Amino acid sequence: MATLILHPGKEKSVLRRHPWLFSGAVAQLDGRARPGDTVDVVSHDGRPLARAAWSPASQIRARIWSFDAAETIDHAFFKRRIAAAVARRAALPELAGQQGLRLVHAESDGLPGVIADRYGDTVVVQLTTAGADKWRAAIADSLHKATGCARIYERSDVEVRKLEGLEAVTGWIQGEAAGEELIIEENGVRMTVDYVGGHKTGFYLDQRENRRRVAELARDRRVLNCFCYTAGFSLQALAGGAREVVSMDSSGPALATAQRNLALNPQLDPARAIWREADVFAELRNLRASGENYDLIILDPPKFAHTAAHADRAARAYKDINLTAMRLLAPGGLLMTYSCSGGVSAELFQKIVAGAALDVGSSTHRRARIVQRLQGAADHPVDLAFPEGEYLKGLLLQLD
């Protein structure tokens, strides 16, 4: 096994149990290692620190599998880690009986680059790093043993794999399609899961509890759902008794799926649903110009900043949509606003939204207050040593 030797002082992050080692931390690799191979990580003076997956094509040169420098990284290792991740979720009452559930959340479950989501009796896995890619067979077998699911589909087609020198990989690892559309029920609402071509692994499981919150808030309100994708928030608003729900997205296919999702739920009144295919930034301004107002607005945009290097550009985009949305809120209205950008911290996001509120207040004397801080669901834990795992940040605001 090759040995990864760190520069003096660079062992500090490992001792704090942070799982990433960047190129600048690496003094040399003693021995030969192929992408994804396990390497011993040692300090500059030879002190054993950890075992990690080597990734020479990435700026993150190694991702740590174990902070126990003597632990063997083998098939049994993945079986233990995945079984433990599944057991942690089984112990949380709010996750009991969920048909859509994240089983493995990468670094926060001690498995960098491994995402696994369960939809009924199908598991969809996404492998984003060289180390995870190398252990594909062990990961799939361990997921099968931990869940009993015979169908495992791979969606390793995300852009980040290119940074690892990896090609896109999709298809069945175990089993095959059941022959019918994959549908789950969440908070009493039925939704399709496009695990072949949809975003992420086919569904945004991280917003489960926030969608439930929308149902609690929506009664008798006029709701505007921006960047609605396949209408998870919209259908929950209808289920909660919204007077009207306007759903907006730039993707025609996403809106077509959204309308199919509505048809799966005959208990929901389609007459209260309005669909708009439009650029959200432009359409928000058009709504403002036409004098529209809403009682609840949801802003769940795509990722504007993949890294901190893009934070300034992202900040302008976040301020723009939040400023316009606040101007569309009726007195006492609620704004549910999110950022899923890893390059934008929770603190920065709040400052951006506060700046938008200040601009609104300077001309209208309205005040905005945080009613609730919002985050990912309980099956998306965040390891305290890895704050980068907290990618989803949200605020529920009320404006005078």
Side-chain angles (χ1 to χ4, degrees):
M1 186 183 300
T3 300
L4 186 66
I5 304 170
L6 304 183
H7 284 297
K10 296 301 182 179
E11 74 279 3
K12 291 179 181 178
S13 68
V14 182
L15 296 175
R16 292 195 299 268
R17 302 180 71 82
H18 193 283
W20 290 355
L21 287 167
F22 289 90
S23 58
V26 177
Q28 68 181 80
L29 181 69
D30 187 2
R32 298 181 62 182
R34 294 166 299 179
D37 281 355
T38 301
V39 296
D40 284 323
V41 179
V42 303
S43 64
H44 72 285
D45 56 2
R47 178 161 45 117
L49 297 171
R51 282 190 166 159
W54 174 241
S55 184
S58 174
Q59 285 300 305
I60 304 174
R61 286 287 194 270
R63 289 174 170 84
I64 294 173
W65 290 127
S66 177
F67 294 94
D68 177 354
E71 185 168 13
T72 300
I73 310 303
D74 57 8
H75 194 128
F77 168 84
F78 289 95
K79 183 178 179 181
R80 291 193 302 272
R81 285 284 168 98
I82 288 173
V86 171
R88 279 192 291 273
R89 287 152 176 82
L92 296 175
E94 64 268 37
L95 299 180
Q98 294 290 348
Q99 295 179 15
L101 187 70
R102 174 145 296 183
L103 301 174
V104 179
H105 193 46
E107 283 86 351
S108 291
D109 281 307
L111 291 167
V114 182
I115 295 292
D117 292 336
R118 179 174 185 167
Y119 302 108
D121 59 359
T122 299
V123 174
V124 183
V125 64
Q126 192 169 82
L127 308 175
T128 62
T129 63
D133 194 78
K134 182 179 180 66
W135 289 98
R136 173 181 287 103
I139 290 166
D141 182 65
S142 299
L143 285 166
H144 168 65
K145 285 183 168 63
T147 65
C149 293
R151 286 194 286 271
I152 301 177
Y153 188 84
E154 182 170 3
R155 272 295 305 275
S156 300
D157 55 355
V158 289
E159 286 293 310
V160 71
R161 278 178 63 92
K162 294 180 180 179
L163 302 177
E164 298 278 314
L166 301 172
E167 299 293 329
V169 178
T170 61
W172 291 100
I173 301 177
Q174 291 188 17
E176 58 186 17
E180 65 270 359
E181 200 170 30
L182 181 56
I183 298 171
I184 62 169
E185 183 174 309
E186 178 189 270
N187 301 322
V189 170
R190 301 180 79 214
M191 299 280 293
T192 58
V193 177
D194 182 5
Y195 58 88
V196 174
H199 294 179
K200 292 197 168 186
T201 63
F203 197 68
Y204 285 93
L205 290 171
D206 51 1
Q207 291 281 27
R208 182 192 312 107
E209 291 305 307
N210 298 324
R211 286 189 286 265
R212 180 184 58 78
R213 185 71 171 122
V214 162
E216 294 171 349
L217 297 169
R219 179 163 299 281
D220 297 326
R221 294 183 184 271
R222 191 173 188 228
V223 179
L224 174 62
N225 181 17
C226 304
F227 310 98
C228 70
Y229 188 44
T230 56
F233 281 114
S234 300
L235 299 193
Q236 290 295 332
L238 289 170
R243 186 170 76 253
E244 175 185 276
V245 180
V246 179
S247 303
M248 187 190 309
D249 202 281
S250 61
S251 169
L255 287 173
T257 301
Q259 292 174 71
R260 289 201 303 273
N261 283 335
L262 177 57
L264 290 173
N265 294 275
Q267 77 277 18
L268 304 181
D269 183 2
R272 290 185 284 133
I274 298 172
W275 309 96
R276 289 190 179 175
E277 183 179 348
D279 175 86
V280 172
F281 288 86
E283 189 63 15
L284 284 173
R285 294 188 182 89
N286 293 338
L287 291 172
R288 171 65 178 165
S290 61
E292 295 283 355
N293 61 71
Y294 299 88
D295 305 300
L296 171 60
I297 298 177
I298 303 154
L299 294 178
D300 186 21
K303 190 180 296 184
F304 290 156
H306 290 269
T307 68
H310 302 102
D312 287 344
R313 183 177 63 188
R316 292 191 291 273
Y318 283 122
K319 184 173 181 180
D320 185 4
I321 57 171
N322 280 278
L323 177 63
T324 313
M326 288 179 191
R327 287 174 171 162
L328 285 168
L329 276 179
L334 298 168
L335 173 62
M336 184 176 274
T337 181
Y338 296 96
S339 165
C340 64
S341 296
V344 175
S345 67
E347 293 76 14
L348 176 57
F349 184 59
Q350 181 171 324
K351 287 179 182 178
I352 294 166
V353 175
L358 183 62
D359 286 358
V360 171
S362 64
S363 58
T364 63
H365 304 293
R366 301 181 73 183
R367 298 188 67 176
R369 296 173 175 84
I370 297 174
V371 175
Q372 184 181 357
R373 299 184 189 278
L374 305 165
Q375 60 187 14
D379 50 347
H380 292 65
V382 178
D383 190 314
L384 286 173
F386 184 69
E388 294 90 339
E390 192 173 10
Y391 66 91
L392 181 62
K393 291 80 59 175
L395 297 169
L396 177 62
L397 307 174
Q398 187 168 40
L399 268 70
D400 290 342

